Each structure stands twice: as structure tokens, then as C-alpha cells.
Amino acid sequence: MEKRIMTAEDIDRSLHRIALQIVENNHGVANLAIIGIHTGGVFLADRIQKLIQDREKIELPTGTLDITLYRDDWSLASQNPIVKKTSISFPMEEMVVVLVDDVIFTGRTIRAAMDALMDIGRPLRIQLAVLVDRGGRELPIQPDYVGMDIPVKVDEHIHVRLAEKSGADEIVLVDR
Ligand code: 5GP
Ligand code: MG
């Protein structure tokens, strides 16, 4: 069974709000960079980047991180995410880096992302934006910017459909 939890309009409004909150919390966009986590997070990071750029009339540096599970079934919590590929072509020293992902669950992906960032450079600050916080954290990691909070059972899954890949935006909750 599928239950829609965010429409295209909901997603658009959330991304506008998150973009504005990022600028507000950082008192502008000086030294700001956006890094998307492969794959959903990359599309969302691009959108947030464009929204901020349109508003502030500046270019924001962006990058991507590709993180997958060490073993293959990501549906199981407590598995180990590893960083497959980093694509960050700006110096992170003195930068405020906003990580963007579609869903946060256990927090392990973000932990791996932060480890990778620290290996590359020394950001002044790392912040986290996610479209959906499904709860179920196994680490003390919380997002700074959240589209929607929705507690999801371990045997449920959130489908994040984004126009870039699925033709239209929509977020649905499904029983496995
Ligand atoms: P975590 O590492 O926090 O347990 O899981 C977060 C990562 O797994 C994110 O990169 C996210 O894309 C993916 N993920 C975890 N749960 C879900 C879910 O219910 N739906 C989707 N689409 N991705 C999920
Ligand atoms: Mg992911």
C-alpha cells in the first residue's frame, strides 16, 4: 500500500523554506558550499543551490559524495556505509558546508559523509539538510534543516520520487 506524504507543491515549498533558512542561519552566503549525497541528495542540493543563487545573485560552490552500504541490503539498519566517490573541487578550509540528503534514518550515512569531509579538509562548520527525517537514529546526529518529520517503521520505506529521475516530484510511504 502506498500513502502519499508530500506532493510536488509540498516539496517545492519545503525546499524554498530550507534555502531561506540556510541563508538566514548563516547570516548570508559568505563561504557557503552545498554538497549533495548521491543520488537523491544531489538533485535536492542542485535545487537548493539554484534557489539560493537566484535570491542572492552569487555562485555557490557545490560538490557530491557517493556513499553506499558496505553490504548490499541498505534496508537493514546498523549496516556500514562507505564513501565510494567524492567530487569536491573547492578548498573546504573556512567553508560552511551544507550536506544535503533525501532521507535520514540511522544517521550512519551522514557520519560517513562527515568522516570523508574531514579527511579532505577542515570545514569551519558542517550543517545538514534533509527532505525527510524518518526517525530511527542510531547515532547522535540531527539535521539542521528538515522538509518533513515522519516517524517510519523499520519495515516501511519512503519512495522519494524526483522529477530529475522519475518525471515528477512526490514522496510516498510504502509497506515493504
Ligand atoms: P541512514 O544512513 O541514515 O540509515 O540512511 C540514510 C540513507 O539511506 C540516505 O542516503 C537515504 O537515501 C537512504 N534511506 C534510508 N531510509 C530511506 C527510505 O526510507 N527511503 C529512501 N528513499 N531512502 C532511504
Ligand atoms: Mg541515499
Side-chain angles (χ1 to χ4, degrees), residues 9-81:
E9 290 73 27
D10 292 332
I11 293 169
D12 190 53
R13 271 190 291 268
S14 282
L15 293 177
H16 274 83
R17 172 175 51 78
I18 288 170
L20 198 53
Q21 284 177 330
I22 290 172
V23 178
E24 184 186 28
N25 283 6
N26 292 295
H27 305 284
V29 290
N31 306 318
L32 197 66
I34 312 277
I35 293 181
I37 296 175
H38 197 69
T39 48
V42 173
F43 300 133
L44 297 171
D46 280 349
R47 294 195 203 180
I48 290 170
Q49 178 205 20
K50 288 202 181 69
L51 289 170
I52 296 177
Q53 288 187 166
D54 286 351
R55 220 195 121 74
E56 302 291 319
K57 313 288 176 225
I58 57 123
E59 294 268 307
L60 284 188
T62 55
T64 62
L65 287 175
D66 188 350
I67 300 169
T68 49
L69 282 172
Y70 187 60
R71 279 168 294 167
D72 228 8
D73 184 5
W74 70 264
S75 66
L76 291 171
S78 304
Q79 297 206 3
N80 241 352

Side-chain angles (χ1 to χ4, degrees), residues 138-150:
E138 296 176 354
L139 295 171
I141 291 174
Q142 311 304 338
D144 301 283
Y145 313 100
V146 182
M148 186 181 188
D149 266 301
I150 177 157

Side-chain angles (χ1 to χ4, degrees), residues 68-69 71-79 103 105-106 109 134 154 156-159 176:
T68 49
L69 282 172
R71 279 168 294 167
D72 228 8
D73 184 5
W74 70 264
S75 66
L76 291 171
S78 304
Q79 297 206 3
V103 179
F105 181 24
T106 65
T109 297
R134 57 168 290 173
V154 180
E156 292 173 325
H157 183 68
I158 296 166
H159 281 320
R176 257 174 217 292

